[in-house]
Every structure is written in C-alpha cells, then in structure tokens.
Amino acid sequence: MNLWRASRSPAESRAISTIDDYAQALQDSLGYGGYSALGITQTQPGQAAEKAPTDLPGYAQLFATNPVIWACMVARQMVFSAPRFTWQRLNNGTPSAMFGSSELRLLEEPWPGGTTQDLLSRDIQDADLAGNAYWTRFGDEMVRLRPDWVYIVLERREHRGGHLGWRKLGYIYQEPGEEPVALLADEVAHFAPVPDPLATYRGMSWLTPVIREVQNDGLMARHKRKFLENAATPNMVVRLAREVSPEAFAKFKAKMEASHRGVENAYKTLYLGGGADVTVVGADFQQLDFAKVQGAGETRIAAAAGVPPIIVGLSEGLQAATYSNYGQARRRFADGTIHPLWQNAAGSFARLVRPPGGGTSGAVRLWYDARDVPFLREDARDAAEIQGLQSRTIRTLVDAGYTPESVMAAVTASDWTLLNHTGLFSVQLQKPGGDLPQADRARALAAALQDAIRPIEGGA
C-alpha cells in the first residue's frame, strides 16, 4: 500500500501524477503542510524538495573514457572497500573495544552473493560520480537507489512568524516510466561526503570543480592523436609555383596526403617536383613542453579527488617517486581522504542496522575495522610504537606514586591535570621515613646492589 494511502481514507486520496503531487502526499501523510513546488536549491522560495543531480550519466562517461579520472576513482574505491563493519563500545564517550554480532549480516552480505566490499565499492562510486549514495533496506537485503532518480523532500520550518531553514521529511525514488516510491528519512542511508553549497542535504561530486581540467585533458589526448595521424611531425606548408593550375594542385595535394599523411607514413622521405617548397610550422611535443602541461592538469584532477599523484602513478608524482615520498603520500591519502570517508559511511549505514539486542543505546556505535587493510599496515606499526611509548609512560608514572586510575585517564586524554598522587614514593610506594619489613628491605638492598654493579659489569 502506498505511504500516503495508509494514513488517508479513499475519499481523501487524490490523483498522483507528478513528483510534485507525490511530495505533497508524503508531507500530508506525515502531518506536514506548506508545500509549493520543486526547486533546484533550498534557497528558492516555495521549494519542498532538493532535485536529484542530472549529470550522473555524463560523469559516468568521463569515468569510462578518461584514464586519469578512472585511476583516481579506482584508487579511492580499492582502499575504501577494504575494511569491514563492526560495533564499537563507547566508554564515557571514548571509543573502546570493537566486537561483531549477527546484526551486521546485512552489511556483510548486502544481497545474494554480495559482500561488504561490493557494497562499499558501489557506495563510493555513486558518491564520486553523483555526490550522493542512497541505500534502503528491503527485508534482509540492501537496495541501491540510483542517485539521479532520488529526490529529497523538505518541509519549511516556521518560527516566530518567519521561516527557519528546511527539515528533511524523506525521499522519493522514481525510475523512468514507473510510479514514485516514498521513503521516510530513517529508511534511507544517505552518504554525501562533500556537501553541495547550494543545498541543505544533497552532496556534490568532486568532479564538478575540475570539469574544465578534464576537458583540457581530453583536448591534450586529441592533440596527441592528431599529431600521430599527421605523420608524427609538426604542420607543414607546401608552396607551389603560380603557374600550377588548380587541377594540378588538387592532384598534387591528393598524392601528397596519400603518401605522407598518417602514422603509418611517418618519417618517410619527402620528394617534391620542381616549383614546390616545404616549410615546417608549429611546434612538436618537446617545444610545447607537452608532458609538463598535461602533467599539471592531471595533478589538479588528482588533488580534487584527494589522491596524491604518486599513488596513482601520474607523471608529476613519479618525478619524486622515492620510498619515503610514497610513504608520506600514502599517509596523506589514508588520513586525509579515506578515514573521513569511512567514518561518514559508518554513520550513514547506522540508520539501517541496530545495535545488538535491537536497542539504540548510545554506548555502542556502528564503526569500521581497518586493522586488516594492507594499505594501512605501516599505520598499524606506528600505532604499536605509540602504544609502547604510552605503556612506558604509564609504568613510569605509577612507579612515581600516581594512582593507576588517574594515570590511565591522563594518558588517554593527554591531560596531565588529571593525575592524582598517592603521597607514596619510590617503587615500594612506602610513606616517607616509614620502616620497611625485613623481606622488603632485603629485596630493596639487592636491587640497589644490582643497580650499582651493572655499570661496572658493562664497563668491564
């Protein structure tokens, strides 16, 4: 049964013929009003929905035909799709242990034969091309909503006699030639990592700011092709004597192009009859500094994607291709691009899965487990080194007489004001001037002697 008909009597139901009618029906079914008309951005008066982007097919064509865009998107996809989802406990607001449960099966097998990697690959691809990725749950299956067929339904907030922004009511999904389907806001996982500045809830593709660079890259590729089609040489001007008739000129031109035009005829010796003169005009690739010009455009495209050029093997990145530079680029890509995307995706999918037991406790959140991601193995080593330093710091502070509880809190929060001293000193943590038991005195003496002779033994 349609959403609005479930809450209205047959007499109250009205004909639904357009997206406008459907959005109005969705608002009426939820008890909202004030709908006027669809608009492109939320700043237009009377708008009640953010339109779906219409440039997805064009951007998909760029992905299929432009090697730089393809390389950047595939690099993002391969790393983004590598982790798995998990639950994470929050201990007084601090992230703590991670664990799994049967509730995660929806994300582990989102559709028959599908995997978490398939789900995340589709998620990031839609976000890259359309700026938005939409998913809904249908039974035990995740359903992808094509971004350019989704509308976000809004309702204007009324406050003190005026309008105070827009509230998201739900979504409308309509395939071409089919009836629209209304979905409530909590029925859709909406992943929009880059917000559209002209919308409240809609995202924007990172390809939008670099369309001109993509066009220029295509022109450079065409220039290379035309250069090769023209015998891999710069343009030439052939002059003939004035006495040559138009018929003879046309015959000479046809024979010249048949013998010397095209990459198959490159580097052939050119023979000219009397009265013909050849002059080379234009510039070759070296004179144009072609590699530098094209490489600069490729770098700007990679920068918009958040992918360092060295990661995808672009020419300007390879000029500085040392192991050290690659490690720095890998960390920039992971910390500045991939981790924020993972965090956003986990928060988006949390609408469709519930914590263990079916509750919504704030002490558990949906998170991602990247510990087995090969791309981040060096980060795992760095984390282990940090934990080693923290463990030594904890041991030192406890030995210095601070309470273990305050030491853990101070190290975790990096706030030394949380330290609380016991008033005891030294490893034995005895009161100043206090008498030690006989056994403790013996152990302390043995430890002191050992500390005294260790430098002697080392010097020997």
Side-chain angles (χ1 to χ4, degrees), residues 268-314:
K268 283 186 177 180
T269 302
L270 180 64
Y271 298 99
L272 299 175
D277 181 27
V278 176
T279 303
V280 176
V281 297
D284 57 19
F285 287 160
Q286 185 175 5
Q287 292 169 325
L288 286 173
D289 204 356
F290 189 89
K292 185 175 182 180
V293 173
Q294 189 175 35
E298 293 174 349
T299 300
R300 283 192 284 268
I301 294 174
V307 183
I310 190 176
I311 297 294
V312 292
L314 299 181

Side-chain angles (χ1 to χ4, degrees), residues 389-401 407 411 427:
L389 292 174
Q390 290 178 334
S391 65
R392 290 191 288 272
T393 301
I394 292 172
R395 172 65 184 273
T396 300
L397 292 172
V398 171
D399 289 350
V407 169
V411 172
V427 177

Side-chain angles (χ1 to χ4, degrees), residues 366-377:
L366 180 66
W367 204 237
Y368 63 93
D369 186 358
R371 291 174 293 185
D372 296 329
V373 177
F375 192 76
L376 303 181
R377 282 174 180 165

Side-chain angles (χ1 to χ4, degrees), residues 72-347:
C72 292
M73 286 185 56
V74 168
R76 288 163 59 96
Q77 173 188 329
M78 292 302 178
V79 181
F80 181 81
S81 63
R84 60 187 181 89
F85 286 103
T86 184
W87 299 111
Q88 186 177 55
R89 299 189 187 280
L90 298 178
N91 185 11
N92 293 326
T94 302
S96 185
M98 293 187 290
F99 65 97
S101 72
S102 59
E103 286 80 4
L104 295 175
R105 182 174 178 80
L106 178 68
L107 302 179
E108 294 168 352
E109 189 178 357
W111 53 82
T115 65
T116 302
Q117 284 67 39
D118 296 328
L119 174 67
L120 290 176
S121 294
R122 274 293 190 178
D123 198 45
I124 191 63
Q125 188 178 79
D126 281 350
D128 284 350
L129 295 177
N132 304 270
Y134 301 97
W135 299 87
T136 190
R137 180 170 184 169
F138 189 79
D140 293 331
E141 185 176 350
M142 294 284 286
V143 179
R144 170 183 175 257
L145 306 178
R146 183 165 150 167
D148 56 339
W149 296 343
V150 176
Y151 294 77
I152 305 174
V153 181
L154 308 177
E155 185 245 352
R156 191 190 298 274
R157 295 187 184 94
E158 303 291 340
H159 183 66
R160 297 177 181 176
H163 296 151
L164 188 64
W166 299 86
R167 177 186 294 109
K168 179 167 61 176
L169 300 183
Y171 299 85
I172 294 176
Y173 175 74
Q174 183 179 28
E175 298 182 1
E178 300 294 335
E179 288 294 322
V181 178
L183 297 166
L184 300 179
D186 58 359
E187 294 179 314
V188 176
H190 182 190
F191 176 56
V194 181
D196 188 334
L198 299 179
T200 302
Y201 301 101
R202 189 181 60 222
M204 182 182 74
S205 169
W206 63 263
L207 290 170
T208 302
V210 292
I211 285 298
R212 291 189 181 276
E213 290 297 338
V214 174
Q215 293 172 339
N216 293 339
D217 189 74
L219 292 175
M220 297 293 279
R222 289 182 59 191
H223 180 85
K224 287 189 294 185
R225 186 181 65 192
K226 291 296 183 181
F227 183 79
L228 295 175
E229 290 177 352
N230 194 35
T233 61
N235 297 330
M236 293 186 298
V237 175
V238 180
R239 296 186 180 90
L240 298 179
R242 294 181 180 179
E243 294 78 9
V244 177
S245 64
E247 294 78 10
F249 173 79
K251 186 177 181 180
F252 174 83
K253 177 175 178 293
K255 187 174 182 180
M256 179 81 172
E257 290 182 348
S259 302
H260 295 280
R261 187 173 185 177
V263 66
E264 295 83 3
N265 296 318
Y267 312 115
K268 283 186 177 180
T269 302
L270 180 64
Y271 298 99
L272 299 175
D277 181 27
V278 176
T279 303
V280 176
V281 297
D284 57 19
F285 287 160
Q286 185 175 5
Q287 292 169 325
L288 286 173
D289 204 356
F290 189 89
K292 185 175 182 180
V293 173
Q294 189 175 35
E298 293 174 349
T299 300
R300 283 192 284 268
I301 294 174
V307 183
I310 190 176
I311 297 294
V312 292
L314 299 181
S315 57
E316 289 197 349
L318 293 176
Q319 292 176 2
T322 66
Y323 181 80
S324 174
N325 291 338
Y326 182 85
Q328 295 171 1
R330 181 203 57 77
R331 174 166 291 183
R332 156 62 185 88
F333 183 43
D335 295 347
T337 301
I338 297 300
H339 278 291
L341 290 174
W342 280 335
Q343 295 167 7
N344 195 327

Side-chain angles (χ1 to χ4, degrees), residues 401-414:
Y402 293 96
T403 62
E405 295 79 11
S406 68
V407 169
M408 289 296 298
V411 172
T412 302
S414 298

